[in-house]
Amino acid sequence: MQHRTLGNQGLTTSAIGYGSMGISMAYGPGDAQEGIATIQRAYDLGVTHIDTAELYGWGENEKIVGRAVAGFRDKVVIATKFGFTRDYGTDSHPGHIREVVDNSLRNLGVDHLDLLYQHRVDPAVPIEDVAGTVAELVEQGKVTYFGLSEAGPQTIRRAHAVLPVSVLQTEYSLFERDVEQLFPTLDELGIGFVAYSPLGRGFITGAAKPAGEYDPTDMRNVDPRWQPGNFEKNVDAVHRLGELARAKGITVSQLALAWLLTRGEHIVPIPGTRNSRRVEENILATEVVLTATDLTAIDQILPNGGFGSRYAEHALPNWI
């Protein structure tokens, strides 16, 4: 497994990480034991970056991750997040951050968090207060590295001035490229980037079904990219990507992940899956070499990303 450095503060992880959200939420019922087995298989194959959050089952996902990595905790980077409320509002007040961190330490069964993100920017709390609180947690040894999720350039700069930001995490894939506008800021400040939903919430695996054919708890039933009109166009794009992938002897998922790895040495995608076989497939993307001709062909298929927004309009993060 290749490794990459995220930010200028010393954080190094595997070039492909593992996103655990789907074990506990958003993609229909999950199975804890299956999730544990998948995380452990990922580690066996060289994955050292495991991503979770308080939001993912309100601590249950963290407990699953903690159980999965108990035998090799010191050999992996555990990333978790704070900032949501149970009604999906935001709360990044200092007292709430401290409470969530203590809960996360307990849920994970660890004495420190390798990477702590603000899950969403809280408009009610100055980012300087957020960064200052995390700085205190760093001084206490509870947190090692600081990250932001779905934050814009002004917020990133203001936070970074108080406590160096190691990582920005935001959705990024062949379907979602808007975040590229933030890359100059990240490069200037020496901040790494973690790409969540790097396979377009599973659409770029080639196994997408129309909205309404998933479990009722699955977010893809309401995802704009799955709705009539957008769905058919996205299926066609993935079909064309699949033809390109097959010509190279790889899967469309591997093509999509390999493409992300070409976007910069500071980028680490964290595909999520509950299937050990999919983990094996994803990790092989690190061995794929894309030529300039391949990259041009990909851009011709999806020059501006997929069809349809990544969230319903009311739920889109506001980058400031």
Side-chain angles (χ1 to χ4, degrees):
M1 172 66 77
Q2 303 166 18
H3 285 76
R4 292 189 164 190
T5 299
L6 290 169
N8 289 343
Q9 309 308 308
L11 175 58
T12 300
T13 79
S14 52
I16 289 183
Y18 177 84
S20 68
M21 182 183 80
I23 299 171
S24 303
M25 68 174 291
Y27 294 98
D31 179 88
Q33 287 305 125
E34 183 181 43
I36 289 170
T38 303
I39 293 170
Q40 292 176 339
R41 181 57 178 155
Y43 173 75
D44 289 342
L45 294 169
V47 171
T48 62
H49 185 141
I50 313 296
D51 184 273
T52 183
E54 176 201 37
L55 174 69
Y56 309 157
W58 299 108
E60 292 307 309
N61 193 269
E62 291 176 322
K63 292 175 183 177
I64 291 168
V65 169
R67 288 162 58 193
V69 307
F72 45 84
R73 188 272 171 270
D74 292 338
K75 297 180 180 179
V76 293
V77 169
I78 299 175
T80 193
K81 312 175 192 76
F82 66 85
F84 272 109
T85 61
R86 287 181 179 259
D87 59 357
Y88 298 97
T90 53
D91 184 354
S92 285
H93 289 91
H96 187 244
I97 296 173
R98 297 185 190 102
E99 178 185 357
V100 173
V101 166
D102 286 342
N103 288 340
S104 293
L105 291 169
R106 184 166 50 252
N107 291 334
L108 288 159
V110 300
D111 62 5
H112 72 281
L113 307 173
D114 301 296
L115 174 57
L116 178 67
Y117 292 101
Q118 182 188 37
H119 208 155
R120 289 293 186 273
V121 176
D122 185 345
V125 181
I127 194 64
E128 290 83 358
D129 292 354
V130 175
T133 302
V134 177
E136 294 173 4
L137 295 167
V138 171
E139 291 176 3
Q140 294 166 11
K142 294 183 177 182
V143 173
T144 307
Y145 299 103
F146 176 38
L148 298 173
S149 179
E150 295 284 2
Q154 294 180 37
T155 301
I156 294 167
R157 290 182 183 281
R158 288 167 53 197
H160 193 73
V162 176
L163 175 66
V165 177
S166 290
V167 185
L168 174 70
Q169 180 177 145
T170 296
E171 184 172 352
Y172 187 37
S173 72
L174 284 169
F175 271 18
E176 179 52 50
R177 300 182 62 168
D178 287 351
V179 74
E180 290 175 353
Q181 67 188 276
L182 302 182
F183 286 179
T185 300
L186 303 185
D187 291 342
E188 175 192 340
L189 299 177
I191 297 173
F193 183 78
V194 166
Y196 78 78
S197 295
L199 297 174
R201 303 198 179 97
F203 209 125
I204 311 177
T205 65
K209 301 179 292 186
E213 294 189 13
Y214 293 92
D215 182 270
T217 62
D218 195 306
M219 69 182 294
R220 290 170 291 189
N221 288 316
V222 296
D223 189 307
R225 290 176 296 203
W226 267 262
Q227 303 311 307
N230 292 329
F231 179 80
E232 294 80 5
K233 293 176 184 177
N234 288 324
V235 167
D236 179 66
V238 172
H239 175 73
R240 295 166 64 194
L241 291 170
E243 291 179 337
L244 178 60
R246 284 189 293 276
K248 294 184 66 67
I250 60 176
T251 67
V252 67
S253 298
Q254 290 166 343
L255 180 78
L257 292 171
W259 177 86
L260 275 171
L261 294 173
T262 71
R263 309 308 290 177
E265 289 298 320
H266 65 293
I267 294 173
V268 171
I270 52 168
T273 180
R274 298 182 292 209
N275 186 305
S276 294
R277 182 180 57 80
R278 285 287 190 186
V279 166
E280 296 164 6
E281 176 185 345
N282 292 341
I283 289 170
L284 286 173
T286 60
E287 301 178 11
V288 173
V289 176
L290 297 180
T291 67
T293 300
D294 294 330
L295 295 173
T296 297
I298 291 169
D299 280 342
Q300 289 173 343
I301 295 169
L302 284 173
N304 301 304
F307 298 90
S309 176
R310 61 195 180 107
Y311 291 114
E313 187 172 348
H314 71 277
L316 279 170
N318 183 23
W319 294 343
I320 298 174

